[in-house]
Amino acid sequence: MKTVLFACVHNAGRSQMAAAWFNAMVDPARARAISAGTQPGPGVHPEVLVTMAEAGIDLSTAMPQRLTDELAGQATLLVTMGCGEVCPVVPGLRREDWPLEDPKGKPVERVREIRDEVRARVAELVAREGWAAARAVEGGGG
């Protein structure tokens, strides 16, 4: 089981979107995602809740959490999104940086664009690593 840690500053936007997309796309027996922030906010940004709900992902119960060395130590891969030098460095941990715009306070139209960019990057990561779930039937069924 591989664990990907998506990290940003407030853990209220980009990293929450990335972890949710990741967990929706992967085979749960092969990989999972967690997310955290260097300065976690009180909750997921409202504009992120709206745009992710439009895409069928409910983040209303997601809670930002602090990025700690201990949490990073659980990960196989750390994907940073704007936390820069304050993200922990864990020896032996693979790290990627995705320079994505912070959706906080942006118009919904722009947040949709950020959401779609996050989704595309996550899809590329999942495909590259071979973690994709078997194709699920959209809208339920079997």
Side-chain angles (χ1 to χ4, degrees):
M1 165 73 77
K2 304 293 183 185
T3 299
V4 176
L5 172 56
F6 292 98
C8 64
V9 177
H10 297 117
N11 189 219
R14 298 163 287 189
S15 57
Q16 291 282 355
M17 287 191 273
W21 282 125
F22 187 92
N23 288 328
M25 292 179 194
V26 298
D27 176 344
R30 298 169 114 177
R32 71 182 182 109
I34 54 178
S35 68
T38 55
Q39 300 169 18
V44 176
H45 301 312
E47 54 274 17
V48 170
L49 293 173
V50 168
T51 58
M52 290 301 284
E54 290 172 353
I57 295 180
D58 179 10
L59 289 177
S60 64
T61 60
M63 287 302 301
Q65 64 178 329
R66 182 166 306 284
L67 176 57
T68 63
D69 290 339
E70 195 173 38
L71 196 60
Q74 299 175 24
T76 308
L77 172 64
L78 171 62
V79 179
T80 56
M81 304 173 173
C83 58
E85 296 304 312
V86 294
C87 282
V89 175
V90 180
L93 179 61
R94 283 177 40 212
R95 186 170 169 176
E96 292 183 21
D97 185 58
W98 294 356
L100 295 162
E101 184 179 350
D102 187 348
K104 183 180 181 181
K106 302 284 189 302
V108 169
E109 298 76 20
R110 180 64 190 128
V111 178
R112 286 184 187 119
E113 293 169 358
I114 295 166
R115 173 200 67 199
D116 294 345
E117 184 178 353
V118 170
R119 184 184 188 285
R121 285 176 179 263
V122 168
E124 190 276 326
L125 171 65
V126 168
R128 176 174 26 113
E129 298 294 334
W131 294 330
R135 214 176 250 290
V137 176
E138 300 252 340

